């Protein structure tokens, strides 16, 4: 049977795609290609996986963002990245969660999108 085998991308509207892309490059290290997007190559040496999860319409998990979605990025050093983001003036949630799934932190991008940062367990 034909079926979906993975996530092919995350696409969303932006008031200023160039400026937002530059913000993600500066603060999160994303390296845009000439066509304007970022390609993530899978690396078997790094832990992690990709999730697809619908949340209830009344979830507060994405707050303070008013968007109907939230992007989760795998990171290699959550504490170090959050420290650098704070120093750069990025809005960083003070809460950091630790669980058997790893460490989680949250930031807001300049367009009001909540971003979840996840460091999988080693």
């Amino acid at each position: 049977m034909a079926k979906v085998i993975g996530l092919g991308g995350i696409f969303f509207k932006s008031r200023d795609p160039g400026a937002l892309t530059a913000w993600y490059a500066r603060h999160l290290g994303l390296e845009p290609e000439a066509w304007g997007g970022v390609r993530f190559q899978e690396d078997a040496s790094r832990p992690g996986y990709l999730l697809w999860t619908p949340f209830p319409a009344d979830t507060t998990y994405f707050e303070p963002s008013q968007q109907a979605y939230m992007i989760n990025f795998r990171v290699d050093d959550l504490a170090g990245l959050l420290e650098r983001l704070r120093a750069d003036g990025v809005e960083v949630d003070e809460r950091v969660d630790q669980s058997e799934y790893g460490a989680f932190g949250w930031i807001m991008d300049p367009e009001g999108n909540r971003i979840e940062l996840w460091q999988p367990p080693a």
Side-chain angles (χ1 to χ4, degrees):
M1 178 177 105
K3 63 182 178 178
V4 172
I5 60 169
L7 185 63
I10 299 169
F11 309 104
F12 54 95
K13 296 179 182 180
S14 169
R15 291 185 300 271
D16 187 341
L20 192 61
T21 299
W23 186 91
Y24 277 80
R26 176 176 178 218
H27 295 292
L28 298 181
L30 301 186
E31 297 179 16
E33 297 190 15
W35 50 270
V38 175
R39 180 188 319 260
F40 294 97
Q41 300 291 13
E42 291 299 317
D43 183 346
S45 70
R46 289 190 230 152
Y49 41 83
L50 181 64
L51 298 175
W52 177 89
T53 309
F55 281 74
D58 62 351
T59 187
T60 59
Y61 192 64
F62 303 168
E63 290 180 0
S65 176
Q66 298 301 307
Q67 300 294 349
Y69 66 90
M70 181 178 67
I71 299 172
N72 169 295
F73 289 111
R74 279 183 261 174
V75 301
D76 58 359
D77 176 7
L78 180 63
L81 180 56
L82 293 176
E83 180 179 329
R84 185 172 55 82
L85 292 170
R86 282 186 187 97
D88 285 348
V90 173
E91 184 179 339
V92 176
D93 191 321
E94 292 303 315
R95 187 176 105 228
V96 173
D97 286 351
Q98 296 279 344
S99 75
E100 67 270 20
Y101 303 110
F104 297 86
W106 297 268
I107 64 171
M108 296 290 283
D109 79 11
E111 292 197 3
N113 300 302
R114 185 165 170 89
I115 306 300
E116 185 171 64
L117 304 173
W118 168 47
Q119 182 177 342

